[in-house]
Amino acid sequence: MKPFVKTRLILLSLPVFLGSCLFNDYPVDEDGLLITERSECYVSSFQLVGTDYQTVVFNDKSIVLGNGIDTVACTISVKVKYGTDLRNVYPQFSLVTDAKLEPKVTGFTDFSDYKNNPPRYTVVSGNRKVRKTYTVLLEEHEYVPR
Amino acid sequence: MINKRSRFAVLCALCLVPFLLFTSCENEESTPAFQNKCIKRSLGPNVAGQEIEFVYAVAIQPGAGRLVSAQVEASIAGAPATYLEHRSYHTAVNGIETAVVVGNPCVNSGNITQVEFTADTCAAALRYFYAIPEEAKGKNLKFIFSAVASNGERVSMEMGEYRIAEMDIKLDLAVSASQCYISLEDMAVYTAAQAAAVPGKIDLVYLYRNYNVDTVVFNHAFVAPATGVVKYLPGVTLPSGVNRDTKIRNTGIKDAHLARLHQKGEAQPAIYIDDIDLREMDMSRMPNYALDIITNDGMWLETQDGIYKAYIFANNMNRGRAGGTISIKRLKIK
């Protein structure tokens, strides 16, 4: 084989070789997301919006770590506004870096049966080895005439 | 000493000179003495009861004559409010839009609107406001703009086609503690006595409650008069037969036709709700009430029988007391 043909073959195969090395180091999961070395696994903030994409959380409160989110008990406590239509709410989670959520939130969700069947979402860490299931504890305000 | 390459470049340049002269002369010769241009100024869907606005500009070279008349022929005669301005607009040096009277007020004759020029002018930019009639709903419209000069020349320009929406629009309906029964079929707000006469047409009840409780924000609400939502109709005694179950979906959209926020000195996004938006809005599983509606909120609605879909915009909801103003866009689906 001529020397320049050899050189070209080596150069062409180099990116393939490097690519395979990279993918071996950082594999992707079934969703095509990078699996990393991070083992942190928690929800950092949470929001619940209605059909007008405005918050339905009472007093427009921000639900964040230590203020509605309990990472030990794995709960998210949410008080919703009086009259919130819980059949059509859009939960929005912020997770620690590289983590993902199961099941995926794909749009408006029915939380109306929260008393019998509280919504549960599992956070999976970046290394996909730690799983923590969070329960969304909803509370509705009711009007009691005085 | 000039080398061969330089000589070739000079030769090429010399050859180009007559070509450039020839083409520039040709452009001058092809410029017509009498010209017209038109633009459509109004945006969004064309809805019956609203206007379509154009600007029609005509000009003739000063030596060739002066303007005699301008007219617009619509494929469907406009509503009586249709008019062609007899003032020509231009932007003054200070940036202010300035109008100059150039002719007699327009005359509408069938589907033709005409202005006769009285001023000795060779250029004018006239505005045309076509008031969309009810009979144009769901049809396509065309316009022919034309002008005649004193030398007998005529220029014309066709604009369109423009689709006229099938929806209806109603602006600035007042709601209050007594005027609180809303009919989407009639696009009207009734009192309890009036609602009792047309119970099958009442789709929505407006109410205001200030519970003065930290945990409950009710304020202005729009609630279907259905049996399942008594909880959200506190203190309301519905007239006999008023029991329709209307689906309501809150939205943050501020339709430009209804909101007209620029009139309040606010920024009005060029967002318009069209027939297709109403037709395709998914209202399944939507509730039958909307609480704490404030000024500039919006709602999608669907009547119980599915005949009408609508969008209500809260133009104004009084602060701390009952009453306000709403506007409606409505489409007959079936």
Side-chain angles (χ1 to χ4, degrees):
Chain A
M1 199 179 281
K2 289 179 181 176
F4 75 91
V5 176
K6 270 185 185 173
T7 313
R8 280 189 181 182
L9 276 174
I10 291 165
L11 285 172
L12 282 171
S13 58
L14 200 63
V16 178
F17 172 74
L18 285 172
S20 61
C21 289
L22 283 171
F23 283 112
N24 277 340
D25 282 352
Y26 296 101
V28 292
D29 66 8
E30 66 280 5
D31 294 322
L33 299 171
L34 210 58
I35 298 173
T36 66
E37 292 170 355
R38 291 177 184 273
S39 58
E40 296 93 338
C41 186
Y42 60 87
V43 176
S44 53
S45 73
F46 180 80
Q47 187 55 271
L48 199 61
V49 299
T51 52
D52 54 355
Y53 296 95
Q54 300 296 312
T55 181
V56 295
V57 179
F58 179 68
N59 272 350
D60 300 345
K61 188 181 138 188
S62 298
I63 299 160
V64 292
L65 282 174
N67 194 1
I69 299 175
D70 185 334
T71 54
V72 177
C74 289
T75 55
I76 302 168
S77 303
V78 187
K79 280 183 189 171
V80 296
K81 293 177 183 177
Y82 176 71
T84 296
D85 174 33
L86 287 170
R87 291 181 304 172
N88 296 289
V89 284
Y90 198 150
Q92 299 173 344
F93 295 81
S94 293
L95 308 177
V96 65
T97 309
D98 295 343
K100 69 172 191 176
L101 197 68
E102 289 178 0
K104 295 180 184 72
V105 179
T106 54
F108 288 99
T109 310
D110 189 348
F111 279 0
S112 59
D113 191 29
Y114 71 94
K115 284 176 185 163
N116 301 318
N117 187 18
R120 285 193 175 89
Y121 290 88
T122 301
V123 182
V124 185
S125 65
N127 62 10
R128 305 294 183 259
K129 288 176 182 167
V130 184
R131 299 172 66 89
K132 286 189 180 173
T133 299
Y134 278 71
T135 305
V136 182
L137 303 173
L138 288 159
E139 185 186 338
E140 282 182 282
H141 283 298
E142 286 299 327
Y143 175 61
V144 183
R146 290 187 286 195
Chain B
M1 185 126 183
I2 300 169
N3 62 22
K4 271 186 181 177
R5 191 172 284 180
S6 301
R7 255 185 287 170
F8 178 71
V10 170
L11 196 64
C12 285
L14 286 172
C15 290
L16 273 172
V17 169
F19 173 74
L20 290 170
L21 286 173
F22 174 74
T23 50
S24 61
C25 291
E26 190 181 55
N27 280 346
E28 269 178 28
E29 279 170 12
S30 66
T31 304
F34 193 18
Q35 293 188 60
N36 67 162
K37 286 282 179 202
C38 190
I39 56 165
K40 181 174 178 282
R41 271 168 64 95
S42 48
L43 300 173
N46 307 303
V47 185
Q50 300 281 297
E51 288 173 336
I52 309 177
E53 185 188 346
F54 297 90
V55 176
Y56 182 51
V58 281
I60 186 165
Q61 285 179 4
R66 62 178 181 79
L67 301 177
V68 172
S69 68
Q71 72 167 45
V72 189
E73 183 180 350
S75 57
I76 299 171
T82 297
Y83 69 101
L84 179 62
E85 278 268 20
H86 62 291
R87 288 174 283 253
S88 175
Y89 284 86
H90 65 278
T91 307
V93 284
N94 56 4
I96 304 290
E97 203 170 51
T98 311
V100 177
V101 175
V102 290
N104 292 321
C106 72
V107 176
N108 282 332
S109 174
N111 56 346
I112 294 175
T113 307
Q114 192 177 47
V115 161
E116 300 282 349
F117 287 95
T118 53
D120 184 1
T121 183
C122 60
L126 307 180
R127 289 185 182 170
Y128 175 62
F129 296 87
Y130 177 80
I132 306 169
E134 283 290 312
E135 58 267 31
K137 277 180 10 185
K139 295 176 184 166
N140 289 334
L141 269 180
K142 273 195 307 190
F143 299 90
I144 299 169
F145 291 79
S146 61
V148 176
S150 59
N151 63 2
E153 269 194 76
R154 183 177 181 276
V155 285
S156 70
M157 193 168 175
E158 189 174 303
M159 296 292 284
E161 294 180 331
Y162 304 107
R163 177 81 177 163
I164 306 301
E166 290 171 27
M167 71 174 94
D168 298 290
I169 195 166
K170 202 87 170 185
L171 300 175
D172 303 327
L173 293 165
V175 291
S176 65
S178 55
Q179 194 96 5
C180 57
Y181 294 93
I182 300 164
S183 166
L184 292 179
E185 185 178 334
D186 294 351
M187 296 181 82
V189 187
Y190 296 122
T191 61
Q194 291 167 327
V198 286
K201 289 184 174 182
I202 304 302
D203 301 294
L204 216 50
V205 181
Y206 161 77
L207 70 159
Y208 174 82
R209 297 287 181 274
N210 184 0
Y211 282 143
N212 199 21
V213 176
D214 287 344
T215 54
V216 175
V217 182
F218 197 100
N219 296 332
H220 300 275
F222 293 82
V223 183
T227 47
V229 276
V230 179
K231 172 179 164 182
Y232 298 122
L233 288 168
V236 175
T237 307
L238 295 170
S240 175
V242 172
N243 58 8
R244 302 192 85 190
D245 193 359
T246 307
K247 289 182 182 136
I248 307 171
R249 178 177 189 165
N250 285 5
T251 176
I253 293 171
K254 297 168 176 61
D255 174 81
H257 278 144
L258 305 189
R260 294 156 289 155
L261 296 176
H262 59 285
Q263 293 177 6
K264 297 185 198 173
E266 298 172 36
Q268 171 63 65
I271 294 170
Y272 294 87
I273 288 168
D274 207 342
D275 286 352
I276 191 168
D277 302 309
L278 290 164
R279 194 171 284 120
E280 295 188 356
M281 178 52 57
D282 180 13
M283 295 297 287
S284 57
R285 296 173 43 80
M286 285 299 142
N288 44 15
Y289 59 89
L291 310 184
D292 192 27
I293 295 296
I294 59 170
T295 299
N296 294 350
D297 272 351
M299 289 170 281
W300 300 103
L301 300 108
E302 184 180 42
T303 56
Q304 182 179 341
D305 49 19
I307 291 177
Y308 294 103
K309 279 190 180 175
Y311 165 83
I312 288 184
F313 182 78
N315 298 91
N316 175 50
M317 291 282 114
N318 293 335
R319 195 179 282 256
R321 61 191 168 88
T325 312
I326 59 169
S327 296
I328 306 175
K329 269 185 173 179
R330 180 205 68 178
L331 180 68
K332 189 168 187 179
I333 302 293
K334 296 177 184 171

